Amino acid sequence: MPLSVPTLPEGIDPAWLPPDAFRPLGERRTSIRGSGPFVETVHGEVAEACEQFGGEVVRGAGTGTSHDLVLCQGDDDLGDEGFTYERADGTTTVTASGRRGLLYGLFHVVRLGEKAFRGACPREAHRPAVALRMLDHWDNVAVHPVMGQVERGYAGGSLFWRDGRSRGEWQRVRAYGRLLAACGINAVSVNNVNVHETEAHLLTDRIGEVAGIAGVLRPYGIRTHLSVTFAAPVVLGGLPTADPLDEAVRAWWAEAAARVYAAIPDFGGFVVKADSEGQPGPFTYGRSHADGANMLAAALAPHGGTVHWRAFVYDHHQDWRDRTTDRARAAYDHFAPLDGEFADNAVLQVKHGPMDFQVREPVSPVLGAMPRTRLAVEVQATQEYTGQQRHVCWLGPMWSEVLRFRPEGEGGVAVGESARGGLVAVSNVGDDPFWTGHPLAQANLYTFGRLAWQPVADPHRILDEWIALSFPSAPQRLATGLRTLLHGSWRTYEKYTAPLGVGFMVQPGHHYGPSVDGYEYSPWGTYHFADRDGVGVDRSAATGTGYAAQYAKPWAEVYESPATCPDELLLFFHHVPYGHVLHSGKTVIQHIYDTHFEGVAEAEEARRVWAGLAGLVDPARHARGAERYEEQLRSAREWRDQINSYFFRKSGVPDERGRLIH
């Protein structure tokens, strides 16, 4: 029988699935043909829409009048998630051979809206370019004394956990799974990669709570994954060691995996942060990361599971006086020599940049250096360093640049094409009524899902999809205003924060707001080396840390010299004088002044545009956005004044336009 559509608790924003988005479908006659759990999910969605808007849904071919839409199982070989779409003779037909394809086909029709029922369209085949499209939740089961219920979460508490136990609010979790399916996400890791003692028990005596979440997400095609601690055999099993080559340890993991799959037959696998920022790992036992990952892969292999092994490994006890040590080099130095040594069901999960989700970084050289290893690209939707969902910073253009980057140069394979292990985003969702804190931050989650499905897609077209779904029947002024607010928001944020790729000029710990020297003398390896003569990190092969040489020749040559390095990455790769002339024709110091004044002006204009949309946006949404824009503008001014004053005092060079610098 059809699965009912989840009911949102009162006051919870519908995000990109408001009832009106289903109006074109719900006003028509639909035939659903096939059987199985996902067909019942589809049936429930169509039945709900028809009940609201006066249409009709029938099972099978039906009799009498023709159908406006046919959703059916067929024989096309498009895998588990693919579907075909066509419109002829007044009927729109979606056919899927796999289990989840019909679900994705339905949401394709919803995205098209009225266009799905007009004119003719020859048969199109749709299938995801990337098999695994996952969100990593950094949710803690127990409230952490420093990081709270969600580490680096900016949208309230966890959807899954509260005060040490499962929340059990299944309607909200089901609604979340529905939102994810509608943008193409098919996997979720439900707990923090920093696994504390309480979270460790989810693997064993508390696996039933994970099974509850998995059962609620399953009807929308979402597989559940779990972050585990590498030291679990010691922490949970009482063994004296977690050595990945120890037979007792391997047996313990095999038994643990078997118990997990007994509780969750379609369990996706483990996510592991090891030998990173204090988390235990194979280095303790003189073993490699391939040894550690392969041990877990062997435990998961009989059940079809995958281990996602994060490549975020570096020295976080660095001596700031030592300019030969470079955190940016670390992932490549650790992992590139291991290419070809990882098991087939082990995925190396690599951050898109070499540092840590800064507003501007080069693409990680690891993504072009390990052709014999399944790599997953990890991005961060939660905006840790890009405004924490208090600032509007739509990240679609950044992610698109990464996914289109060709590590071998022109003619080579793009990152999005080579990500055989999947695309992963750190979740930006919490129990906030708007899911993401700032209503406009929903665009980041939607955009990630759609780019993960099709990495070559135009992010601006995806943004238009999000606007059309989230604001059905929006007048042109509203759609235009939303595009204005979001299209350039990443570059606006970059303008009033850290310049030219230098990064990490943030308050230590919580990472919100400016502190130019906040990490400059710390052990974290996050330096800008500004002095009276210049600024930036020399990462050249000739005179610096050698990081530039980790890239294939075309890019190594581009990044090696200040003369060829792109302006936006200049200070990431080079230490240059304040009077160095950029390709733009400006000096570095004048660029810093100009962009910070421009960024604040653009933030002021964005606040004005949002205020002008007050009568066109739901009052609660608009009030939350207005509150956040006030904070964004306050913070942008603080960034401008601190950055400009700092570099004026360092350089002694005045602003050529004579503006106020404190």
Side-chain angles (χ1 to χ4, degrees):
M1 60 183 298
L3 181 73
S4 62
V5 174
T7 303
L8 282 174
E10 185 176 354
I12 302 301
D13 189 74
W16 52 86
L17 291 182
D20 267 4
F22 289 79
R23 181 183 294 275
L25 168 68
E27 290 177 338
R28 290 172 164 88
R29 191 168 193 261
T30 298
S31 169
I32 298 175
R33 305 169 188 177
S35 61
F38 292 109
V39 174
E40 300 310 325
T41 302
V42 168
H43 188 179
E45 291 284 342
V46 177
E48 173 77 9
C50 289
E51 182 176 346
Q52 287 192 337
F53 299 110
E56 181 184 3
V57 58
V58 297
R59 289 300 291 264
T63 59
T65 61
S66 62
H67 305 105
D68 300 296
L69 174 65
V70 175
L71 301 165
C72 62
Q73 291 176 319
D75 298 326
D76 296 302
D77 185 19
L78 293 175
D80 183 51
E81 298 182 316
F83 62 91
T84 63
Y85 170 88
E86 61 184 316
R87 179 165 174 80
D89 301 324
T91 299
T92 301
T93 303
V94 173
T95 305
S97 56
R99 297 181 305 146
R100 289 182 281 190
L102 206 62
L103 182 63
Y104 294 127
L106 167 70
F107 286 122
H108 179 70
V109 171
V110 174
R111 281 193 297 273
L112 290 173
E114 283 293 340
K115 294 179 183 177
F117 303 101
R118 292 177 180 168
C121 179
R123 183 180 180 275
E124 303 171 342
H126 295 259
R127 72 179 87 189
V130 178
L132 185 131
R133 308 171 301 279
M134 184 161 75
L135 289 180
D136 279 0
H137 276 257
W138 287 359
D139 297 15
N140 298 314
V141 176
V143 176
H144 188 271
V146 176
M147 294 299 180
Q149 190 76 70
V150 181
E151 181 170 339
R152 306 302 181 196
Y154 309 108
S158 170
L159 292 174
F160 308 127
W161 318 103
R162 182 167 55 200
D163 299 333
R165 65 190 65 189
S166 172
R167 291 186 67 151
E169 295 177 6
W170 301 129
Q171 287 292 316
R172 183 81 188 266
V173 176
R174 281 186 63 211
Y176 178 51
R178 181 174 180 248
L179 287 172
L180 299 187
C183 66
I185 292 168
N186 66 358
V188 167
S189 180
V190 297
N191 66 306
N192 193 353
V193 292
N194 293 315
V195 180
H196 311 107
E197 183 177 358
T198 301
E199 290 79 26
H201 285 268
L202 296 176
L203 176 64
T204 53
D205 51 298
R206 299 186 66 173
I207 191 62
E209 294 171 72
V210 182
I213 297 169
V216 172
L217 294 175
R218 185 175 295 117
Y220 283 97
I222 314 295
R223 292 182 76 180
T224 300
H225 296 238
L226 186 66
S227 292
V228 298
T229 174
F230 187 80
V234 177
V235 175
L236 302 172
L239 297 184
T241 179
D243 184 347
L245 301 189
D246 184 282
E247 287 303 321
V249 171
R250 297 175 73 87
W252 187 90
W253 277 108
E255 292 172 5
R259 288 194 298 269
V260 169
Y261 279 91
I264 311 171
D266 61 347
F267 182 72
F270 299 144
V271 178
V272 183
K273 178 180 180 180
D275 290 316
S276 175
E277 300 181 327
Q279 293 296 308
F283 284 175
T284 302
Y285 309 99
R287 312 302 186 189
S288 74
H289 281 274
D291 292 331
N294 291 345
M295 179 263 295
L296 293 174
L300 292 164
H303 314 284
T306 301
V307 57
H308 280 245
W309 191 272
R310 297 181 83 235
F312 188 49
V313 178
Y314 68 98
D315 177 10
H316 70 292
H317 295 293
Q318 185 173 325
D319 184 348
W320 58 268
R321 303 165 187 84
D322 177 11
R323 292 205 181 187
T324 64
T325 302
D326 185 3
R327 172 171 166 174
R329 290 186 56 107
Y332 184 102
D333 288 343
H334 280 299
F335 289 98
L338 300 176
D339 186 34
E341 296 185 18
F342 289 88
D344 290 342
N345 65 320
V347 168
L348 188 62
Q349 189 163 305
V350 183
K351 290 192 177 187
H352 72 82
M355 295 293 280
D356 192 14
F357 303 129
Q358 299 302 291
V359 70
R360 178 73 69 171
E361 295 186 45
V363 175
S364 171
V366 178
L367 296 173
M370 302 185 70
R372 295 179 294 163
T373 302
R374 291 178 65 197
L375 299 180
V377 181
E378 181 180 285
V379 301
Q380 192 188 52
T382 195
Q383 294 183 236
E384 177 182 353
Y385 294 98
T386 52
Q388 300 190 359
Q389 289 153 230
R390 286 179 265 186
H391 298 223
V392 174
C393 186
W394 176 55
L395 297 169
M398 174 201 281
W399 297 336
S400 182
E401 285 187 14
V402 171
L403 296 173
R404 292 168 183 261
F405 182 80
R406 299 182 184 275
E408 299 295 325
E410 285 300 320
V413 177
V415 166
E417 297 173 301
S418 62
R420 295 185 292 116
L423 295 179
V424 182
V426 181
S427 170
N428 64 347
V429 171
D431 68 355
D432 183 87
F434 295 97
W435 301 93
T436 57
H438 200 309
L440 298 186
Q442 294 174 9
N444 280 328
L445 181 57
Y446 182 86
T447 300
F448 168 75
R450 299 291 290 133
L451 280 176
W453 181 279
Q454 188 181 23
V456 299
D458 178 359
H460 297 283
R461 178 181 60 77
I462 292 172
L463 181 62
D464 286 344
E465 282 182 8
W466 175 79
I467 291 171
L469 285 171
S470 302
F471 302 89
S473 305
Q476 189 58 46
R477 186 163 71 87
L478 174 57
T480 299
L482 291 167
R483 291 189 196 100
T484 299
L485 292 168
L486 289 158
H487 273 198
S489 57
W490 168 44
R491 296 187 186 277
T492 294
Y493 186 86
E494 181 179 25
K495 284 181 178 181
Y496 63 72
T497 53
L500 300 170
V502 73
F504 283 105
M505 293 180 171
V506 293
Q507 292 285 344
H510 57 73
H511 299 163
Y512 185 75
S515 179
V516 185
D517 283 338
Y519 278 105
E520 192 61 15
Y521 307 102
S522 79
W524 294 95
T526 51
Y527 314 126
H528 56 71
F529 296 138
D531 55 29
R532 67 180 183 177
D533 299 317
V535 60
V537 184
D538 185 354
R539 292 188 164 106
S540 69
T543 58
T545 69
Y547 168 79
Q550 291 184 338
Y551 290 88
K553 184 178 179 180
W555 290 109
E557 291 177 347
V558 167
Y559 295 144
E560 177 67 17
S561 169
T564 53
C565 185
D567 284 351
E568 64 268 19
L569 292 172
L570 179 67
L571 302 186
F572 190 94
F573 282 99
H574 298 282
H575 187 88
V576 298
Y578 295 108
H580 175 88
V581 178
L582 300 169
H583 297 113
S584 68
K586 292 184 180 182
T587 62
V588 166
I589 190 65
Q590 194 59 43
H591 172 91
I592 290 172
Y593 296 153
D594 287 350
T595 53
H596 284 79
F597 281 109
E598 288 168 9
V600 171
E602 289 172 13
E604 290 172 337
E605 175 63 11
R607 181 184 65 166
R608 187 195 67 78
V609 170
W610 182 255
L613 301 178
L616 305 176
V617 177
D618 173 80
R621 263 184 184 168
H622 193 272
R624 173 64 67 84
E627 165 201 310
R628 297 293 165 105
Y629 268 116
E630 290 295 328
E631 168 56 20
Q632 179 171 355
L633 183 54
R634 182 210 63 78
S635 181
R637 289 168 174 162
E638 187 74 10
W639 273 99
R640 175 199 62 195
D641 292 343
Q642 287 202 25
I643 298 290
N644 283 348
S645 296
Y646 179 93
F647 283 104
F648 173 64
R649 295 177 186 185
K650 281 283 186 184
S651 69
V653 178
D655 172 28
E656 65 184 25
R657 297 174 61 182
R659 292 164 293 196
L660 176 63
I661 296 179
H662 299 276

